[in-house]
Amino acid sequence: MARLQCAIAWYLCVLILGGCAGHVENKRFEYGAQTAPVFTGSLKRDLFVEGHVAYQDQAQTEFAGTFDTQGFPHHGVLTQRYIDVNNKPVTIKLNGKFKVTSTVSAISFSGAFSIEDERQQILAQSTKSKWRGKYSNVHPFQAPLLMTLNGKNQYLQYRRNISPKGRPETYPIIHRNLAGPFTIKAGFLEGLPRGVIKISAVNDQNKYFAVERQYFNYQITPQPVHYFYYEPGTFSNIELLGNCDHAPNLTVPQHLLQVFVYDCAKTQFYALSEDYPESVLEISTRDIDNGGIFHRLRIYQHGVITEANVNVDALYEGKWLYHGPLTTMFYGNLNHYQMYELGKPIGIGIKMDENGANFVSANQGDSGIDLPDSGLRNSIESQYLWYKQRVDEHFSSLLSSVILSPSELNKLKADLLKDINENKPLAKDGQVAGLPGLWESWQRQSIAQLSTWQNSKESPLALKRQILENLEKWYEQSEVLLLAESSQRCARAGKSLNSQDWRCELRPNSELIQVCERYFDVQKCQTMSDNFVRSQNKTK
């Protein structure tokens, strides 16, 4: 009678309750056209209760343990696999508690983890950790995408690079050429390292000490920020990263900065300086002159990036003096743009405040502005046009000749030399340093061309072209030099040069407007300009 009652109860369980927990072996479940899991263990209403499931996904996800009431992993061991940078399989093992939050299509984990290579050697591990995975489709028969560390974590790492192939940003890559193990103390957000991470190695006393730090902020758009630096006091020589035998020459006073790495692939130096605490200085080889001194650098401090030109002579003396444009980006947005002269801000710049971006004037307090004579620019043009006309006249009757006779050649050279020697430098070009030197340089080059010209090898047309090319170069360089000097004089008074009216004015020039439009739209920059002019007029 008792056995009959038991059998009836079992059938009622199946018919009324839809099925009690039962055991299956290697049962394959169907899920539309997608790959379905293979399960061994206890089932209830076709939901996993306890056992082992292989999800048959790209990460070869498997789980062994108990499941929650919805059939998702709850407590046990989850394994996933990926291919590393060496094209070798790597396995992640998570042993602990899992929780699925369907509203955000994610699964969270807390517990122990290990990352192992194909020979089951430990690459990284911890007894306490936090992980997170995303679901492309939240369903008990679907596995989460590759799990990633989440939140604050501390773990041991035995190899410098354990990231998946093609995704180097997944885990911090250790740059120090030291043997492991390393302790990694790091934060993670959205599957990526975030903030400052600390990397420590074992010393001779078998104690861990900090050897490297890195900063990550991949959430900054459009340019994510990631940089690293070696712990001060733990290095003495420049370390080479990549495939190169030596670093280029970099001449800099030791007390000014300490270079710790040269990146062969990026052709950049990375250095520390006591003048820039908690920052990394990046120096590109393209900004280093033949003497090994640099004139531009980039400074990283968390999400703040500053690009600045510096005065070379001041570097030799062991001093930092900004000289040229300086741009500061604050977590992906322009914070400050300003021109500098020997460490002092000049001209009109852009600065952010609580009300947004504005043009600002950097007046050095000059009592007056002494621009070069307004007629100097016209004089330069007149001299250029005069000599161009003279060259045309001298060659006009000779261009039909392929080879000049000795008398024609002597006459041509004499006429050209006479114009070169008799046309004196401009009377007022001494107002701008460098203008007399430019003219003298042009004279020397022209005389040298005439003296070395071979009548038998070149036509008169070729000689004329060379002379006019040098003349054009002199004219362009003189114009640039004059405008640069005039702009600088206006800038010292916190103004910009109006080259058309040849005066300084409190209005952003076209170059600054172009800078503004790199970061803001055209209408925004126009409004900023109008507001600046209006505010300056009120203060007069």
Side-chain angles (χ1 to χ4, degrees), residues 219-240:
Q219 285 71 38
I220 294 177
T221 56
Q223 293 294 329
V225 177
H226 170 223
Y227 63 85
F228 70 95
Y229 62 92
Y230 293 173
E231 193 71 11
T234 66
F235 63 91
S236 56
N237 299 317
I238 299 176
E239 194 171 286
L240 300 177

Side-chain angles (χ1 to χ4, degrees), residues 126-160:
S126 176
T127 57
K128 295 181 180 180
S129 66
K130 297 177 182 179
W131 294 68
R132 191 171 188 265
K134 295 287 290 183
Y135 281 96
S136 56
N137 185 19
V138 182
H139 191 279
F141 294 171
Q142 294 292 296
L145 302 176
L146 194 66
M147 300 286 287
T148 55
L149 286 162
N150 186 56
K152 294 182 179 180
N153 283 277
Q154 181 170 324
Y155 57 94
L156 280 174
Q157 186 167 316
Y158 296 85
R159 198 171 75 183
R160 290 197 293 274

Side-chain angles (χ1 to χ4, degrees), residues 384 438 442 445 468-478:
Y384 161 73
L438 275 179
W442 176 82
Q445 289 178 358
L468 290 181
E469 284 177 355
N470 279 340
L471 180 66
E472 190 74 26
K473 184 178 179 181
W474 165 81
Y475 176 64
E476 291 176 354
Q477 290 178 336
S478 298

Side-chain angles (χ1 to χ4, degrees), residues 133-380:
K134 295 287 290 183
Y135 281 96
S136 56
N137 185 19
V138 182
H139 191 279
F141 294 171
Q142 294 292 296
L145 302 176
L146 194 66
M147 300 286 287
T148 55
L149 286 162
N150 186 56
K152 294 182 179 180
N153 283 277
Q154 181 170 324
Y155 57 94
L156 280 174
Q157 186 167 316
Y158 296 85
R159 198 171 75 183
R160 290 197 293 274
N161 187 354
I162 61 173
S163 289
K165 183 179 180 180
R167 294 173 56 189
E169 68 280 1
T170 305
Y171 303 104
I173 298 174
I174 301 166
H175 298 89
R176 291 302 293 263
N177 189 21
L178 300 172
F182 304 92
T183 60
I184 311 293
K185 190 174 183 179
F188 292 81
L189 179 67
E190 299 174 0
L192 299 169
R194 175 64 184 266
V196 178
I197 74 163
K198 178 182 176 182
I199 302 171
S200 301
V202 179
N203 61 14
D204 295 338
Q205 287 76 40
N206 204 32
K207 294 182 179 179
Y208 282 95
F209 68 105
V211 295
E212 181 181 341
R213 295 180 194 266
Q214 299 186 29
Y215 176 80
F216 297 85
N217 195 327
Y218 289 112
Q219 285 71 38
I220 294 177
T221 56
Q223 293 294 329
V225 177
H226 170 223
Y227 63 85
F228 70 95
Y229 62 92
Y230 293 173
E231 193 71 11
T234 66
F235 63 91
S236 56
N237 299 317
I238 299 176
E239 194 171 286
L240 300 177
L241 288 185
N243 298 319
C244 60
D245 297 328
H246 63 278
N249 180 37
L250 181 64
T251 304
V252 113
Q254 283 286 333
H255 70 275
L256 196 64
L257 57 81
Q258 299 81 48
V259 180
F260 59 90
V261 151
Y262 175 71
D263 191 313
C264 303
K266 296 181 179 179
T267 64
Q268 292 171 339
F269 288 95
Y270 296 95
L272 303 178
S273 174
E274 293 183 357
D275 298 315
Y276 297 95
E278 299 181 2
S279 302
V280 173
L281 281 59
E282 177 187 280
I283 301 166
S284 175
T285 54
R286 66 174 177 269
D287 297 322
I288 302 174
D289 62 23
N290 293 332
I293 200 74
F294 62 92
H295 61 86
R296 182 166 51 236
L297 78 162
R298 180 178 290 183
I299 306 163
Y300 293 90
Q301 187 181 40
H302 293 186
V304 181
I305 303 174
T306 300
E307 294 186 26
N309 284 39
V310 292
N311 181 262
V312 172
D313 294 330
L315 288 180
Y316 279 116
E317 298 173 2
K319 297 185 294 185
W320 296 102
L321 288 182
Y322 294 140
H323 191 72
L326 180 145
T327 305
T328 300
M329 302 297 293
F330 184 82
Y331 291 86
N333 298 309
L334 179 68
N335 180 259
H336 188 206
Y337 175 85
Q338 189 70 57
M339 293 296 294
Y340 276 77
E341 182 182 49
L342 296 176
K344 296 181 179 180
I346 59 173
I348 300 172
I350 305 172
K351 194 170 186 178
M352 292 287 295
D353 59 21
E354 62 275 8
N355 297 317
N358 298 283
F359 288 116
V360 292
S361 174
N363 191 339
Q364 292 189 9
D366 298 51
S367 57
I369 305 171
D370 184 22
L371 282 179
D373 191 279
S374 59
L376 183 56
R377 193 178 187 187
N378 293 332
S379 298
I380 292 173

